[in-house]
Amino acid sequence: MADEEDAYNNSHRAFLQAFLARSVLTFDEIKPILAAILSVHDRRPTLANDITAPDLSAYLATLNARLGAMDLEIRSARSQHDRTQLYALVNTASDAPTQLATTHSPDEIAFVKRVLDAMFETHNTRSKEVMAVTGMQAARLAKPPAGAGARGSLGGDGEDGAQTQGSAGHGLTIAQAERVMADMVAEGWFEKSRAGYFSLSPRALMELRGWLKDMYNEPAGEGEGEGEGEGLVRVRDCEACREIVTVGQRCSNRDCPCRLHNICTQHFFRSQPNNRRCPRCKAEWTGWDFVGEKAATGDGGAGRRTTAGPSRSATLTNGEVDSGEDEEDDE
Ligand SMILES: [Zn+2]
Ligand SMILES: [Zn+2]
């Protein structure tokens, strides 16, 4: 693209509208949209395949420079399941309760916060980093636990706790809770796997990454010392691509902070496919110490899984995206 596109113009406004209409766009979906807009704006034909990734990056930089004043940004992240590059217009100052406030009641928001706590605390432990809940587990959270008032879980740090505290006692019926879970999928916050696990969608991870770390990671000195020096870290980034890992692999050493997306392991271990070692602690990288629902559906322990290890490792090292990994991403 020529230099004149570096300035913010009507084409950027039109492009922004495409994002307002869609929750998430892939690069392949963006190309014809941007080509059509530029064809009209520049009064010369631009083909979808003329749009390159660097073109788009430069174009988004111009657009984001304007959006920043409104705490908005078009962010990009790769799908954790495949390589698909995804783009979404997100609120950079976003927190989950406020984002949900436009479409959900305080009781519903309090329920969603209990579900998020279940994903990132209850079902995200040292031994099993599931970061997902089943419909059954979510239904059990319909009512706040007895004595929940004292905990003030919504808002966590107390910021938003007060305003919802009064409603903490009501909770939802099971049917209401099920409907909210379905709404969260329809609204693009959760995705539901074939096996019935709910987890945060790519869009939610793009939008809430800062909030999730603020909410669920405890800096050193504040926690109970579980994480030896790094505080208590429940939300971790991939060692390769630096994006949050909620589905992927972890180091076989339970004390090691290293996590990788499944797709990222293939690039990361390309030079040592048959002797994969953790880049941080040098422990064996098994390929079957999972993060995500597989941490729950497998037994998650080192014992029984040893027998499953070799065949799984073989499928992971032959350069293919292991297709078994991707079953859940087309829901
Ligand atoms: Zn990664
Ligand atoms: Zn390690």
Side-chain angles (χ1 to χ4, degrees):
M1 284 187 285
D3 286 345
E4 62 259 30
E5 271 95 38
D6 290 348
Y8 185 78
N9 58 45
N10 276 334
S11 82
H12 295 91
R13 297 181 189 98
F15 187 62
L16 186 56
Q17 297 249 240
F19 273 99
L20 293 171
R22 302 279 290 274
S23 170
V24 173
L25 288 167
T26 66
F27 184 42
D28 283 341
E29 288 167 338
I30 283 175
K31 283 199 281 187
I33 294 170
L34 187 53
I37 291 170
L38 292 177
S39 294
V40 172
H41 183 261
D42 300 346
R43 295 193 185 82
R44 59 184 162 82
T46 301
L47 301 175
N49 285 335
D50 293 341
I51 309 288
T52 66
D55 284 341
L56 180 59
S57 296
Y59 193 81
L60 290 178
T62 302
L63 185 48
N64 281 334
R66 289 297 184 102
L67 293 175
M70 293 173 286
D71 291 331
L72 296 173
E73 182 182 351
I74 294 176
R75 283 187 180 163
S76 174
R78 289 201 310 188
S79 159
Q80 293 186 93
H81 303 293
D82 54 44
R83 290 168 198 282
T84 313
Q85 192 82 39
L86 304 170
Y87 298 82
L89 176 68
V90 303
N91 178 339
T92 57
S94 189
D95 67 86
T98 305
Q99 285 297 90
L100 295 170
T102 57
T103 46
H104 293 280
S105 72
D107 280 341
E108 290 174 343
I109 296 168
F111 163 70
V112 171
K113 183 59 169 57
R114 290 195 290 279
V115 172
L116 291 173
D117 288 348
M119 286 178 182
F120 289 96
E121 291 178 355
T122 316
H123 300 287
N124 179 26
T125 63
R126 187 171 180 275
S127 60
K128 286 190 181 186
E129 295 183 356
V130 182
M131 297 191 178
V133 295
T134 62
M136 192 96 75
Q137 288 164 344
R140 280 190 215 115
L141 301 169
K143 300 285 181 207
R151 194 180 164 215
S153 71
L154 188 84
D157 297 330
E159 248 178 75
D160 304 308
Q163 71 189 54
T164 50
Q165 204 67 191
S167 63
H170 297 313
L172 304 176
T173 65
I174 300 287
Q176 285 170 331
E178 286 171 348
R179 185 180 53 74
V180 172
M181 293 301 283
D183 286 348
M184 292 295 286
V185 173
E187 290 168 22
W189 290 101
F190 290 172
E191 53 187 13
K192 188 179 180 186
S193 74
R194 206 165 280 176
Y197 281 83
F198 292 87
S199 60
L200 282 187
S201 70
R203 184 186 184 284
L205 289 171
M206 275 188 258
E207 179 134 12
L208 298 176
R209 63 191 185 196
W211 181 81
L212 287 169
K213 288 178 179 176
D214 287 349
M215 186 61 53
Y216 296 110
N217 291 353
E218 293 165 21
E222 282 185 27
E224 275 106 82
E226 287 184 54
E228 57 180 60
E230 61 164 10
L232 182 54
V233 182
R234 298 186 181 94
V235 181
R236 294 183 190 278
D237 292 336
C238 174
E239 193 76 7
C241 71
R242 303 291 165 193
E243 288 170 15
I244 288 177
V245 179
T246 60
V247 179
Q249 300 172 21
R250 62 186 293 188
C251 180
S252 59
N253 170 4
R254 286 285 175 268
D255 294 319
C256 178
C258 192
R259 305 290 180 272
L260 286 165
H261 294 114
N262 294 317
I263 54 165
C264 293
T265 61
Q266 286 156 35
H267 303 284
F268 213 72
F269 295 120
R270 186 177 285 157
S271 63
Q272 40 162 333
N274 299 314
N275 180 29
R276 303 192 305 170
R277 296 274 156 194
C278 171
R280 294 252 195 143
C281 76
K282 306 300 176 200
E284 181 196 5
W285 195 275
T286 63
W288 41 267
D289 286 283
F290 294 113
V291 176
E293 67 180 67
K294 281 194 166 189
T297 53
D299 76 359
R304 193 178 70 81
R305 297 298 245 161
T306 307
T307 52
S311 64
R312 284 175 182 275
S313 295
T315 61
L316 285 169
T317 52
N318 68 6
E320 296 293 319
V321 175
D322 50 328
S323 54
E325 222 53 19
D326 298 324
E327 288 171 1
E328 62 267 38
D329 74 348
D330 53 3
E331 296 285 327

